[in-house]
Amino acid sequence: MTADRAEVLRYLRMGGAEPDAVLAERLARVEREVLAACRPASYWRLEPLVFGAGPGELRIGPLDVKSCALARTVRGCRHAFLFCATLGAGVDALLRRYSQTSGADALMAQAVATAALESYCDDCEAELRAEPAVAGERLRFRFAPGYGDLPLETQRPLLAVLDSARRAGIVLTETLLMVPSKSVSAIIGAGPEPTDPPHAGCAACGKIDCAYRRRSEIPKPARVS
């Protein structure tokens, strides 16, 4: 698990600018402290995926969801992973300490932790690909509740199915926030390469005013001749 520097700078909204020597040294120190505080944990279940009769209706094991964007992403899949992961409570404690001592360090630590969580999820996907039931198949984009048109409320039944509190130490508040805060849940389809690959990442999300949107992932409009 690492914290990709380009991703950290994107979360810091620095664009293509490189930090000067002083800022780079400070960022490196914060990165070391955040990674040292990480106690990552994850859990997943591979479930059969069945498409329903209505638009965007899916049944993934015991979980019923409705999302046209997710349905496009998992088109052609017969299985999907229900997935959760966290960096652990130690990172939250470190973030609280930074918030009391240095706003700049707190901002950098948030960016580092977010990038580290993405890196950890990428590492987990290598283990998912080793599942015999999906040998030779392609994992689709990690699709999280609240992304695109998948309701954030999906978080509650998804984590309940995963028994996330016991399996990974992740609990959900009444306002649907995960604790520890640097945690993620997702649905990951597994299937053959689609003939027309659906958009993933920022291209699949309808929130076009997001400050962190990767412009390179936005699909170009079709040319009208």
Side-chain angles (χ1 to χ4, degrees), residues 38-52:
C38 289
R39 298 294 183 271
S42 60
Y43 183 69
W44 57 80
R45 284 175 50 165
L46 179 64
E47 299 287 354
L49 185 155
V50 180
F51 288 79

Side-chain angles (χ1 to χ4, degrees), residues 49 88 108 110 153 175 217 219:
L49 185 155
M108 288 187 283
Q110 286 282 354
E153 290 76 11
T175 55
E217 292 187 7

Side-chain angles (χ1 to χ4, degrees), residues 92-197:
D92 276 11
L94 182 63
L95 292 174
R96 287 192 296 271
R97 179 165 66 82
Y98 279 140
S99 69
Q100 296 169 358
T101 59
S102 170
D105 284 356
L107 185 64
M108 288 187 283
Q110 286 282 354
V112 169
T114 301
L117 180 58
E118 287 297 307
S119 173
Y120 176 58
C121 291
D122 290 342
D123 293 342
C124 289
E125 285 197 3
E127 297 184 48
L128 269 57
R129 293 187 189 95
E131 290 278 355
V134 297
E137 296 190 337
R138 172 183 178 267
L139 294 187
R140 305 295 173 82
F141 172 71
R142 291 192 297 269
F143 212 105
Y147 190 87
D149 62 349
L150 182 62
L152 183 61
E153 290 76 11
T154 307
Q155 196 89 277
R156 195 173 301 284
L158 173 55
L159 292 179
V161 168
L162 290 171
D163 192 13
S164 64
R166 186 168 66 91
R167 300 283 189 173
I170 301 170
V171 298
L172 199 63
T173 70
E174 289 297 320
T175 55
L176 302 176
L177 296 176
M178 284 187 284
V179 180
S181 64
K182 293 306 175 182
S183 303
V184 67
S185 66
I187 297 167
I188 309 171
E193 184 77 33
T195 55
D196 180 22

